[in-house]
Amino acid sequence: MATLKLFNTLGRRKEELKPLRDNEVGLYTCGPTVYDYAHIGNLRTYIFEDILRRVLEYNNYKVKHVMNITDVGHLTGDNLGDADIGEDRMEISAQRTGKSAWDLAKLYTEAFFKDTERLNILKPHIVCKATDHIPEQIALVRKLEAKGYTYKTSDGIYFDVSKFPTYGELVGQSLKEKKAGARVEVNPEKRNPADFALWKFSPKGAKRRQMEWESPWGVGFPGWHIECSAMSTKYLGQPFDIHCGGVDHIYTHHPNEIAQSEAAEGVKMANFWLHGEFMTVEGRRMGKSEGNAYLLEELIERGFKPLAFRYLCLNTHYRIQLNFTWQALEGAQTALERLREHVRNARANGGEPAQGKVLPEARERFLVALNDDLNLPQALGAVWDFVRSQRNPSDKLATLLDLDRVLGLRLSEVRREAELEISPEVQELLAQREAARTAKNFKEADALRMKIAELGYEVLDTPQGPKAAKRSDATPKP
RNA sequence: GGCGGCGUAGCCAAGUGGCAAGGCAAGGGUCUGCAAAACCCUCAUACACCGGUUCGACUCCGGUCGCCGCCUCCA
């Protein structure tokens, strides 16, 4: 088995992956907080995680992929410094839209999976919702309580980080250093600024929460971090192999998960921690307030295919900020279309993937790039060099479809799609034009071509005869 | 203010102490009735700027500028 090296945030260096069980890898990826639609920056992270999973599988590991859905407890300020002043994101969205928090969770969860499906992101083997695991979270808090890691304030049960000496290991920053950089403490009941809520009490009075549960400490709801600890342990055991998320989680969410899990179980939580970088847009930070936190839906409205966005993401290493520009997305879309055209041509030239063989030299170069910390830009370079080389169509197809197991660009579906898109009406016009053309009546032929173009198709005369292709020239407006 | 990352052709970008991957765009050609696709060729004396180390740096060191991130919710 080839050596796969990954950059481990824990230690800040590339390390060889050595799974705990021979051929199996336990993978936990932090999922969405379903209080709103996911924007393309969010989606980039899920594409990175999808690539990781596919690379693991390409290396013949059996992957068990678990992802959470945060549908409760993620407060607007549930972190360092102001754990008691935030509001639950779900409840805020509910107030804003007039829908129930539960309905919204369902709505945005479905929207999320619709997006990931369009991006050909493989669905995790286990998708677990925080609200479906309240007993597990309560049990974990009780365990921490029994071991003396917690204390109670007027608004909740907190984790005392001073009892956990290695807190901040992931960050490479000691508690003391973190404290020195912290701002004004806004929750005077907390013993240490880095302490965080494990369980929050429902506010007393008229303003009832929509999401709340009974617990040994009274009615309330779980803290944001506890779900990941409870569910990762439940489904993957502890320790497990790889834990992923966005870079924003390096400093608070993940250290807190580590503290909870390791304090409770007395063993390491996960061996590898991988983090995907953020996106910028036209060189500026991306955010809702900037008006550039685009949704996948908006890209589609501008005439782009979801997989063009996926291709764009593959073209930049996951640990480097990706600068999103419309021009770059157009480039990605063209490149993807061309790649698909190569598959189409290989098919047209009689290529049958089942009769071809995966060419070892192409696969090797591709794999070397992948196994060096998921260097997809370099892997794509290898793909293009291969695509431009002269091969017999069957071998070419077999190889490209093999590489696409990682790329996830749906290259195997190219043929079917091309056939489906041509309506009988267009087929008929195409036949008429070919007849005119054969009769050297080019004026007539060109007129028919215009007619076909009006129906949204482009006429292409290929060595195998004329064909129509759906025009993808919906010009994007920057 | 503290800590960290980045700055490579019009755009997205990979990379290495020893003559700068790949894709998009652009220009030329083959093919075509004309096109499209495909294929071929061209396209950074140059890797933000200024110093230093070195036989040699884009790659190492120091400084400057710019952008981004974290320290405060965010993938």
Side-chain angles (χ1 to χ4, degrees), chain A residues 133-165:
Chain A
H133 296 77
I134 300 298
E136 287 88 343
Q137 295 176 69
I138 289 173
L140 181 54
V141 177
R142 293 202 73 162
K143 202 163 187 174
L144 290 167
E145 191 175 44
K147 292 194 173 188
Y149 283 102
T150 68
Y151 62 92
K152 185 179 174 180
T153 71
S154 61
D155 72 330
I157 304 296
Y158 282 78
F159 186 94
D160 185 345
V161 297
S162 68
K163 301 266 172 61
F164 189 74

Side-chain angles (χ1 to χ4, degrees), chain A residues 307-336:
Chain A
L307 290 180
F309 177 68
R310 182 182 174 99
Y311 185 99
L312 180 70
C313 291
L314 301 188
N315 201 33
T316 304
H317 188 95
Y318 77 93
R319 284 194 291 115
I320 298 292
Q321 286 180 1
L322 160 55
N323 187 29
F324 178 90
T325 65
W326 293 104
Q327 200 178 355
L329 184 59
E330 274 184 72
Q333 174 135 304
T334 305
L336 174 61

Side-chain angles (χ1 to χ4, degrees), chain A residues 183-373:
Chain A
R183 290 191 178 184
V184 184
E185 176 58 36
V186 289
N187 183 348
E189 291 185 70
K190 286 205 317 196
R191 294 179 186 169
N192 186 299
D195 290 351
F196 53 92
L198 298 167
W199 185 266
K200 296 270 292 184
F201 306 138
S202 284
K204 298 186 171 52
K207 199 176 152 196
R208 295 284 298 182
R209 284 178 55 88
Q210 296 180 21
M211 291 175 155
E212 56 182 14
W213 295 264
E214 288 291 344
S215 82
W217 314 278
V219 175
F221 61 100
W224 172 38
H225 317 290
I226 198 77
E227 56 171 293
C228 289
S229 288
M231 299 193 291
S232 63
T233 301
K234 174 171 180 176
Y235 294 109
L236 295 173
Q238 189 175 328
F240 59 91
D241 294 299
I242 307 177
H243 192 130
C244 295
V247 287
D248 53 310
H249 287 151
I250 293 174
Y251 288 89
T252 305
H253 183 51
H254 287 165
N256 291 354
E257 282 186 44
I258 290 172
Q260 292 165 344
S261 288
E262 300 191 356
E265 305 299 329
V267 296
K268 206 170 183 182
M269 183 182 190
N271 285 336
F272 276 79
W273 291 79
L274 271 60
H275 295 94
E277 251 298 349
F278 274 16
M279 273 176 60
T280 54
V281 175
E282 315 278 356
R284 315 295 312 180
R285 70 161 275 149
M286 177 175 164
K288 278 177 197 166
S289 54
E290 320 280 328
N292 58 14
Y294 303 116
L295 306 182
L296 186 61
E297 200 62 46
E298 294 174 296
L299 267 47
I300 294 169
E301 281 165 15
R302 293 205 195 199
F304 291 102
K305 293 189 173 158
L307 290 180
F309 177 68
R310 182 182 174 99
Y311 185 99
L312 180 70
C313 291
L314 301 188
N315 201 33
T316 304
H317 188 95
Y318 77 93
R319 284 194 291 115
I320 298 292
Q321 286 180 1
L322 160 55
N323 187 29
F324 178 90
T325 65
W326 293 104
Q327 200 178 355
L329 184 59
E330 274 184 72
Q333 174 135 304
T334 305
L336 174 61
E337 276 309 313
R338 243 165 236 179
L339 202 52
R340 296 162 72 86
E341 188 62 26
H342 278 278
V343 172
R344 219 168 271 140
N345 287 342
R347 293 260 191 206
N349 290 330
E352 274 302 330
Q355 287 164 20
K357 58 181 186 296
V358 178
L359 297 163
E361 62 274 23
R363 196 180 201 277
E364 178 62 21
R365 214 183 127 193
F366 186 68
L367 188 61
V368 165
L370 299 181
N371 284 0
D372 181 15
D373 194 30

Side-chain angles (χ1 to χ4, degrees), chain A residues 376-387:
Chain A
L376 265 293
Q378 205 160 77
L380 271 181
V383 170
W384 280 104
D385 283 347
F386 169 72
V387 162

Side-chain angles (χ1 to χ4, degrees), chain A residues 34-50:
Chain A
V34 286
Y35 68 104
D36 202 349
Y37 294 107
H39 56 65
I40 56 174
N42 299 124
L43 294 171
R44 181 193 183 197
T45 298
Y46 299 106
I47 290 173
F48 142 62
E49 290 161 349
D50 183 57

